[in-house]
Amino acid sequence: MDIMGVLQKLATESGFAAFVLTEGGWKNLVMILIAFVLLYLGIVKKFEPLLLCGIAFGCLLSNLSYFIGMGDNALYHPELWSQFLDSSSPYYHSYGHIMSNAGLLDFFYIGVKAGIYPSLIFMGVGAMTDFGPLLSNPKSLLLGAAAQLGVFVAFFGAVLLGFTGPQAASIGIIGGADGPTAIFLTTKLAPELLGPIAIAAYSYMALIPMIQPPIMKLMTTEKMRKVKMVQTREVTKTEKIIFPIVVATFVILLLPSTAPLIGCLMLGNLFRECGVTDRLSDTAQNALMNIVTIFLATSVGATMVADSFLNLDTIKIVILGLIAFGISTAGGLLGGLVMYKTSGGQINPLIGSAGVSAVPMAARVSQDVGRKYNKNNYLLMHAMGPNVAGVIGSAIAAGFLLSVFG
Amino acid sequence: MQDLVNISIPTAAGTALLGYLVVFFGLVLLMIVLLIMGSVFEKKRASAEKAAAIPAPTREAPVLTMENTLPKAKGTAGELKLYNTEPKDAAMIMAIVADTLGKPLNELRFISIREVTDDEV
């Protein structure tokens, strides 16, 4: 046995050597540092930790195991997915080819690529969400619609910055403030941007308490912020049961491309409300949600390989994402201001900013800002209406973009 | 058919505007559906309340009621007087007290529950 030969082989095949010996190996090192920063943000700063820890660790695993020209031990193979998407490749849309060559994270990623994980997350969100505030005040839907402004402004901005139509659509949806929707649409339209878009979407969702209040203060007066809203009507159990059936039927017929997201969202909600599927509701909002979150986060993180992440486009996406979030907040507030005027000052415009989805964080921000100006003001339940309307609104926006660019 | 991959700026502007309108259109239609649904249920509830408000024809109550003659149920710990307190809140308070003391509710006796106003504190 040639001991020196074995040692030399081990040394040249090690990841440490690969940092220096492979083409662009140093970029892996940078990505590993980025993964550490994301882990720090998730664990210490608690920025969406359930997602960010998984994303960061997926990124770490991917960049520890994949080096250009040394793909044998890789957990994620970007070249396999490039062939999968290349219509001139013999392996175009071949899951068989992926599965016969895949690493662990490639297998996880199949669930993202097929749109399974975001839809299952939506089922869990549906099972967790009480649509009662929306049912008691259906006008909240207007705020959910108004707050999609950032999606389309960012889309336009991305086109101006030179992105293709499908890429711009995927960047724009960051403004919907809905991680699963952003991942769902990006996987379909611009999978090469999945890493930066997912990171931008979840980071900004975590930063909502910092992004929104200055815009809220800028666009409203103190008098408006102090408005105390009256109690809305009580919603019956029957209404809550009928709601998911009506929404699924109506929205999917209107925009069939929303079927996976809206269908799962409403199925989860039906489990919650119908009263005879408590076990399924419990599974959807806990066990299933947690399992899918693990797979979704790690596989999205795995797509953050150096070559596709370390470029100017990532910086542009981060900036456009922030603009999208800001404009969506402003759009919702504009809707709130219109409702304030038309209702004769009965509606507090602060609830408009909750229309950006991001349940329930955006509604909490409305509540917190409102209470700062009026200690006896409880806006939370009023803000939950636009907040859940935003989930439906961002799914419709994604459905529209998918039907145009898909 | 226009090239939507290398999309031109005017087409992008048109698509953005159309997209925003589609979202509004979809949600406004959904709002109308929910408003109709809500008004149907409200009417139903109002008519049910109206029916409940009309007193059912009853025979004149006897002077001596059954309640006065029957012994109290087993485990009953006397009467509870509520001052400015809803029965729902009282039930919650009693449950919290029982939980805090670690004793079953039927082993505790509550005589009265009274709301303490800010002025009295």
Side-chain angles (χ1 to χ4, degrees):
Chain A
M1 189 177 167
D2 177 11
I3 293 173
M4 287 309 289
V6 171
L7 289 176
Q8 191 179 4
K9 188 171 180 287
L10 283 175
T12 52
E13 280 184 0
S14 81
F16 290 109
F19 287 137
V20 188
L21 299 178
T22 60
E23 181 200 337
W26 64 272
K27 289 183 183 171
N28 285 53
L29 207 55
V30 176
M31 289 307 298
I32 290 167
L33 291 175
I34 290 175
F36 290 162
V37 172
L38 294 176
L39 280 170
Y40 170 80
L41 292 176
I43 297 167
V44 181
K45 296 288 175 187
K46 296 190 170 51
F47 284 4
E48 293 280 333
L50 296 180
L51 262 304
L52 212 51
C53 288
I55 290 177
F57 214 82
C59 169
L60 180 67
L61 290 177
S62 187
N63 287 285
L64 286 174
S65 65
Y66 176 78
F67 295 91
I68 295 167
M70 290 177 68
D72 289 351
N73 299 313
L75 294 174
Y76 176 77
H77 296 79
E79 73 278 0
L80 284 181
W81 292 101
S82 302
Q83 290 165 349
F84 182 88
L85 295 169
D86 180 2
S87 57
S88 63
S89 161
Y91 304 117
Y92 179 59
H93 282 184
S94 167
Y95 279 114
H97 178 63
I98 297 273
M99 291 178 90
S100 57
N101 296 283
L104 178 68
L105 295 177
D106 289 308
F107 281 109
F108 285 9
Y109 186 66
I110 290 173
V112 179
K113 187 72 210 144
I116 297 169
Y117 301 152
S119 304
L120 290 179
I121 293 269
F122 253 55
M123 192 187 290
V125 171
M128 285 183 195
T129 306
D130 176 11
F131 283 95
L134 176 64
L135 278 164
S136 68
N137 183 15
K139 285 176 190 161
S140 306
L141 282 161
L142 296 175
L143 298 175
Q148 304 309 314
L149 181 63
V151 173
F152 297 102
V153 172
F155 159 76
F156 184 65
V159 171
L160 287 180
L161 288 178
F163 286 98
T164 65
Q167 287 176 334
S170 304
I171 294 166
I173 203 69
I174 299 173
D178 199 318
T181 307
I183 291 171
F184 179 81
L185 189 69
T186 308
T187 315
K188 303 273 180 203
L189 297 183
E192 68 279 8
L193 300 182
L194 184 59
I197 287 178
I199 288 290
Y202 281 109
S203 303
Y204 291 137
M205 277 165 69
L207 290 173
I208 273 185
M210 281 177 247
I211 296 172
Q212 288 197 323
I215 304 170
M216 293 160 95
K217 282 174 199 164
L218 193 73
M219 292 185 62
T220 54
T221 63
E222 196 169 330
K223 187 186 160 203
M224 290 172 181
R225 283 174 234 144
K226 283 182 175 170
V227 171
K228 209 170 169 182
M229 290 177 66
V230 289
Q231 190 71 30
T232 48
R233 75 176 179 89
E234 210 172 294
V235 177
T236 64
K237 188 78 189 157
T238 316
E239 279 178 271
K240 286 187 175 180
I241 296 171
I242 292 173
F243 174 77
I245 302 166
V246 167
V247 174
T249 309
F250 180 77
V251 177
I252 295 172
L253 284 177
L254 186 71
L255 264 177
S257 50
T258 60
L261 293 179
I262 291 290
C264 285
L265 181 74
M266 291 302 140
L267 175 61
N269 191 249
L270 185 66
F271 286 157
R272 173 197 169 92
E273 301 295 354
C274 70
V276 291
T277 54
D278 287 349
R279 279 165 50 194
L280 302 185
S281 170
D282 177 54
T283 302
Q285 54 182 293
N286 295 299
L288 182 65
M289 185 82 158
N290 292 340
I291 291 168
V292 176
T293 300
I294 293 169
F295 290 147
L296 178 74
T298 44
S299 47
V300 166
T303 64
M304 292 168 62
V305 285
D307 263 358
S308 62
F309 196 87
L310 292 179
N311 53 47
L312 192 62
D313 283 353
T314 300
I315 297 168
K316 288 183 195 169
I317 289 167
V318 168
I319 294 167
L320 283 166
L322 182 61
I323 293 170
F325 254 67
I327 294 179
S328 283
T329 302
L333 286 166
L334 273 177
L337 287 169
V338 171
M339 287 177 92
Y340 170 81
K341 293 277 178 206
T342 52
S343 66
Q346 298 289 304
I347 290 177
N348 190 319
L350 291 180
I351 65 166
S353 64
V356 299
S357 194
V359 181
M361 212 173 324
R364 269 193 226 140
V365 172
S366 300
Q367 155 80 7
D368 291 345
V369 176
R371 276 204 81 190
K372 228 179 225 176
Y373 293 90
N374 182 352
K375 286 249 180 290
N376 299 316
N377 208 354
Y378 294 93
L379 291 174
L380 187 65
M381 287 319 282
H382 299 289
M384 280 307 290
N387 208 188
V388 294
V391 179
I392 301 173
S394 60
I396 292 180
F400 169 80
L401 293 168
L402 189 58
S403 60
V404 172
F405 295 104
Chain B
M1 178 90 185
Q2 295 201 29
D3 183 4
L4 290 171
V5 175
N6 301 309
I7 191 168
S8 67
I9 290 169
T11 312
T15 308
L17 187 65
L18 181 66
Y20 198 41
L21 290 176
V22 166
V23 172
F24 257 102
F25 177 70
L27 291 181
V28 166
L29 284 185
L30 188 57
M31 182 186 82
I32 294 168
V33 171
L34 294 183
L35 282 172
I36 293 168
M37 199 172 104
S39 69
V40 169
F41 277 92
E42 270 300 289
K43 269 184 196 162
K44 244 179 148 183
R45 204 174 65 163
S47 60
E49 274 174 8
K50 211 174 168 185
I54 300 166
T58 50
R59 282 190 296 173
E60 202 174 314
V63 178
L64 193 64
T65 62
M66 292 295 281
E67 271 176 34
N68 294 337
T69 56
L70 282 177
K72 287 201 163 58
K74 200 181 171 188
T76 302
E79 284 184 2
L80 168 68
K81 287 178 182 161
L82 300 178
Y83 300 99
N84 290 333
T85 310
E86 292 294 316
K88 203 172 146 189
D89 297 330
M92 216 181 325
I93 290 163
M94 292 195 294
I96 292 166
V97 171
D99 184 57
T100 311
L101 295 174
K103 290 203 168 193
L105 200 52
N106 62 356
E107 287 181 17
L108 297 172
R109 186 174 176 202
F110 294 87
I111 296 165
S112 68
I113 297 175
R114 185 168 68 87
E115 187 190 354
V116 181
T117 59
D118 288 341
D119 306 334
E120 292 175 86
V121 177

